[in-house]
Amino acid sequence: QVQLVGLDEESSEFICRNTFDHPYPTTKLMWIPDTKGVYPDLLATSGDYLRVWRVGETETRLECLLNNNKNSDFCAPLTSFDWNEVDPYLLGENGTEDT
C-alpha cells in the first residue's frame, strides 16, 4: 500500500489523507511538477512498472500503467524516473533491458 500523509495545520500533526493499493513495492514516488496549479494531482510510482495515479480527495485511481516488457512474464524493477519540468506530460525512466 501507499499512504499519502499531510500536515494538519490546526493540530500541527501529520494525518493520513489517502491510502491506495500498489501491487509491487515502490522504488520511487514523485508528484507532477506543477508550480502554477494547472494540472490535476498526478503521482507517478515506479516498481515493477511505471504507474501514474490521479489523486483525489477521497480516492486514488490508476491513470496509466507503462509496461515496456512485452517478451516475458517477469521484469526487473524500475528504480528511477523523473518528470520533465518543461513538459510535465513527459516522464523519463531508467530501467533495464531484457537480453
Side-chain angles (χ1 to χ4, degrees):
Q1 281 193 330
V2 172
Q3 190 175 63
L4 304 176
V5 297
L7 181 64
D8 182 342
E9 294 181 14
E10 289 181 19
S11 67
S12 296
E13 294 184 11
F14 286 102
I15 60 170
C16 177
R17 301 242 185 240
N18 203 315
T19 301
F20 62 94
D21 289 327
H22 198 279
Y24 191 88
T26 59
T27 56
K28 188 171 183 177
L29 297 97
M30 285 188 78
W31 292 98
I32 187 171
D34 187 14
T35 57
K36 296 179 183 170
V38 296
Y39 297 105
D41 286 335
L42 298 178
L43 175 69
T45 62
S46 60
D48 54 345
Y49 303 118
L50 183 65
R51 293 176 171 85
V52 177
W53 307 84
R54 182 180 295 259
V55 178
E57 289 293 321
T58 59
E59 71 173 357
T60 299
R61 64 181 166 90
L62 184 64
E63 280 287 302
C64 182
L65 179 126
L66 302 166
N67 174 8
N68 197 27
N69 183 27
K70 306 293 184 199
N71 300 327
S72 173
D73 291 337
F74 305 99
C75 61
L78 300 176
T79 57
S80 186
F81 68 91
D82 206 351
W83 288 97
N84 182 316
E85 291 187 23
V86 175
D87 183 357
Y89 289 106
L90 297 175
L91 282 161
E93 63 90 12
N94 183 20
T96 59
E97 184 176 322
D98 291 336
T99 55

